[in-house]
Coordinates of all heavy atoms in Angstrom, one line a residue:
S194 N -12.6 2.6 0.6 CA -11.7 2.1 1.6 C -10.2 2.5 1.2 O -9.4 2.8 2.1 CB -11.8 0.5 1.6 OG -11.3 -0.1 0.4
L195 N -10.0 2.6 -0.1 CA -8.6 3.0 -0.5 C -8.4 4.5 -0.2 O -7.4 4.9 0.1 CB -8.5 2.7 -2.1 CG -7.1 3.2 -2.7 CD1 -6.0 2.4 -2.1 CD2 -7.2 2.9 -4.2
D196 N -9.5 5.3 -0.4 CA -9.4 6.7 -0.1 C -9.1 6.9 1.3 O -8.3 7.7 1.7 CB -10.7 7.4 -0.5 CG -10.9 7.5 -2.0 OD1 -10.0 7.3 -2.7 OD2 -12.0 7.8 -2.4
N197 N -9.7 6.1 2.2 CA -9.4 6.2 3.6 C -7.9 5.9 3.9 O -7.3 6.6 4.7 CB -10.3 5.3 4.4 CG -11.8 5.8 4.3 OD1 -12.0 6.9 4.1 ND2 -12.7 4.8 4.5
D198 N -7.4 4.9 3.3 CA -6.0 4.5 3.5 C -5.1 5.6 3.0 O -4.1 5.9 3.6 CB -5.7 3.2 2.8 CG -6.3 2.0 3.4 OD1 -6.7 2.1 4.6 OD2 -6.5 1.0 2.7
I199 N -5.4 6.2 1.9 CA -4.6 7.3 1.3 C -4.6 8.5 2.2 O -3.6 9.2 2.5 CB -5.0 7.7 -0.1 CG1 -4.7 6.5 -1.0 CG2 -4.3 8.9 -0.6 CD1 -5.2 6.7 -2.5
L200 N -5.8 8.9 2.7 CA -5.9 10.0 3.7 C -5.1 9.8 4.9 O -4.4 10.7 5.4 CB -7.4 10.3 4.0 CG -8.2 11.0 2.9 CD1 -9.7 11.1 3.3 CD2 -7.7 12.4 2.7
A201 N -5.2 8.5 5.4 CA -4.5 8.2 6.7 C -2.9 8.3 6.5 O -2.2 8.6 7.4 CB -4.9 6.9 7.1
S202 N -2.4 8.0 5.3 CA -1.0 8.0 5.1 C -0.5 9.3 4.6 O 0.8 9.5 4.5 CB -0.7 6.9 4.1 OG -1.3 7.2 2.8
N203 N -1.3 10.3 4.2 CA -0.8 11.6 3.8 C -0.3 12.4 4.9 O -0.6 12.2 6.0 CB -2.0 12.3 3.1 CG -2.3 11.9 1.7 OD1 -1.5 11.3 1.0 ND2 -3.4 12.3 1.2
R204 N 0.7 13.3 4.5 CA 1.3 14.1 5.4 C 1.4 15.5 4.9 O 1.3 15.7 3.7 CB 2.7 13.6 5.9 CG 3.6 13.4 4.7 CD 4.9 12.7 5.1 NE 5.7 13.5 6.0 CZ 6.6 14.5 5.6 NH1 6.7 14.7 4.3 NH2 7.3 15.2 6.4
V205 N 1.7 16.5 5.8 CA 1.8 17.9 5.4 C 3.1 18.0 4.6 O 4.1 17.5 5.0 CB 1.8 18.8 6.6 CG1 2.1 20.2 6.2 CG2 0.5 18.7 7.4
P206 N 3.1 18.8 3.5 CA 4.4 19.0 2.7 C 5.5 19.6 3.6 O 5.2 20.4 4.5 CB 3.9 19.9 1.6 CG 2.5 19.8 1.5 CD 2.0 19.5 2.9
D207 N 6.7 19.3 3.2 CA 7.9 19.9 3.9 C 8.0 21.4 3.5 O 7.8 21.8 2.4 CB 9.1 19.2 3.6 CG 9.2 17.8 4.1 OD1 8.6 17.6 5.2 OD2 9.8 16.9 3.4
D208 N 8.3 22.2 4.5 CA 8.6 23.6 4.3 C 10.1 23.7 4.1 O 10.8 24.0 5.1 CB 8.1 24.5 5.5 CG 8.2 26.0 5.2 OD1 8.6 26.3 4.1 OD2 8.0 26.8 6.2
Q209 N 10.6 23.6 2.9 CA 12.0 23.4 2.7 C 12.7 24.5 2.0 O 13.9 24.4 1.6 CB 12.2 22.0 1.9 CG 11.5 22.0 0.6 CD 11.7 20.6 -0.1 OE1 12.5 19.9 0.3 NE2 10.8 20.3 -1.1
F210 N 12.1 25.6 1.7 CA 12.7 26.7 1.1 C 13.4 27.5 2.1 O 12.9 28.0 3.1 CB 11.7 27.6 0.3 CG 12.3 28.6 -0.6 CD1 12.6 28.3 -1.9 CD2 12.6 29.9 -0.1 CE1 13.2 29.3 -2.7 CE2 13.1 30.9 -1.0 CZ 13.5 30.5 -2.3
N211 N 14.7 27.9 1.8 CA 15.5 28.7 2.7 C 16.2 30.0 2.1 O 17.2 30.5 2.6 CB 16.7 27.9 3.3 CG 16.1 26.8 4.2 OD1 15.3 27.0 5.1 ND2 16.6 25.5 4.0
G212 N 15.6 30.3 0.9 CA 16.2 31.5 0.2 C 15.9 32.8 0.9 O 15.0 32.9 1.8
A213 N 16.6 33.9 0.5 CA 16.5 35.2 1.2 C 15.1 35.8 1.0 O 14.7 36.6 1.8 CB 17.6 36.1 0.7
D214 N 14.4 35.4 -0.1 CA 13.1 36.0 -0.4 C 11.9 35.1 0.1 O 10.8 35.3 -0.3 CB 12.9 36.2 -1.9 CG 13.3 35.0 -2.7 OD1 13.7 34.0 -2.1 OD2 13.1 35.0 -3.9
K215 N 12.2 34.2 1.1 CA 11.2 33.3 1.6 C 10.0 34.1 2.2 O 8.8 33.8 2.0 CB 11.7 32.3 2.6 CG 10.7 31.4 3.1 CD 11.3 30.3 4.0 CE 10.2 29.4 4.5 NZ 10.8 28.3 5.4
Q216 N 10.3 35.1 3.0 CA 9.2 35.9 3.7 C 8.4 36.5 2.7 O 7.1 36.6 2.8 CB 9.9 36.8 4.7 CG 8.8 37.5 5.6 CD 8.0 36.5 6.4 OE1 8.5 35.5 6.9 NE2 6.7 36.7 6.5
Q217 N 9.0 37.1 1.7 CA 8.2 37.8 0.6 C 7.2 36.8 -0.1 O 6.1 37.1 -0.4 CB 9.1 38.4 -0.4 CG 8.4 39.2 -1.5 CD 9.4 39.8 -2.5 OE1 10.6 39.6 -2.5 NE2 8.8 40.6 -3.4
M218 N 7.8 35.5 -0.3 CA 7.0 34.5 -1.0 C 5.8 34.1 -0.1 O 4.7 33.9 -0.6 CB 7.9 33.3 -1.3 CG 9.0 33.6 -2.3 SD 10.3 32.3 -2.4 CE 9.4 31.0 -3.1
L219 N 6.1 33.9 1.2 CA 5.0 33.5 2.1 C 3.9 34.6 2.1 O 2.7 34.3 2.2 CB 5.5 33.3 3.5 CG 6.3 32.0 3.7 CD1 7.0 32.0 5.1 CD2 5.4 30.8 3.5
E220 N 4.3 35.9 2.1 CA 3.3 36.9 2.1 C 2.4 36.9 0.8 O 1.2 37.2 0.9 CB 4.0 38.3 2.2 CG 4.7 38.5 3.6 CD 5.5 39.8 3.7 OE1 5.6 40.5 2.6 OE2 6.1 40.1 4.8
I221 N 3.1 36.6 -0.3 CA 2.3 36.5 -1.6 C 1.4 35.3 -1.5 O 0.2 35.4 -1.9 CB 3.3 36.3 -2.7 CG1 4.1 37.6 -2.9 CG2 2.5 36.0 -4.0 CD1 5.2 37.5 -4.0
V222 N 1.8 34.2 -0.9 CA 1.0 33.0 -0.8 C -0.2 33.3 0.0 O -1.4 33.0 -0.3 CB 1.8 31.8 -0.2 CG1 0.8 30.7 0.3 CG2 2.8 31.3 -1.2

């Protein structure tokens, strides 16, 4: 029951990087 509550409250991480090499980093990911 606790696992269900945790899953329900989880959210997608913020995409907060704004550096010039972001696109290169995304391609590597």
Side-chain angles (χ1 to χ4, degrees):
S194 69
L195 181 61
D196 289 345
N197 291 336
D198 290 339
I199 291 176
L200 282 174
S202 64
N203 278 346
R204 55 188 296 273
V205 175
D207 293 329
D208 186 8
Q209 55 184 345
F210 189 89
N211 293 312
D214 50 354
K215 180 176 181 178
Q216 189 56 42
Q217 184 183 4
M218 295 166 69
L219 285 173
E220 290 174 0
I221 293 173
V222 167

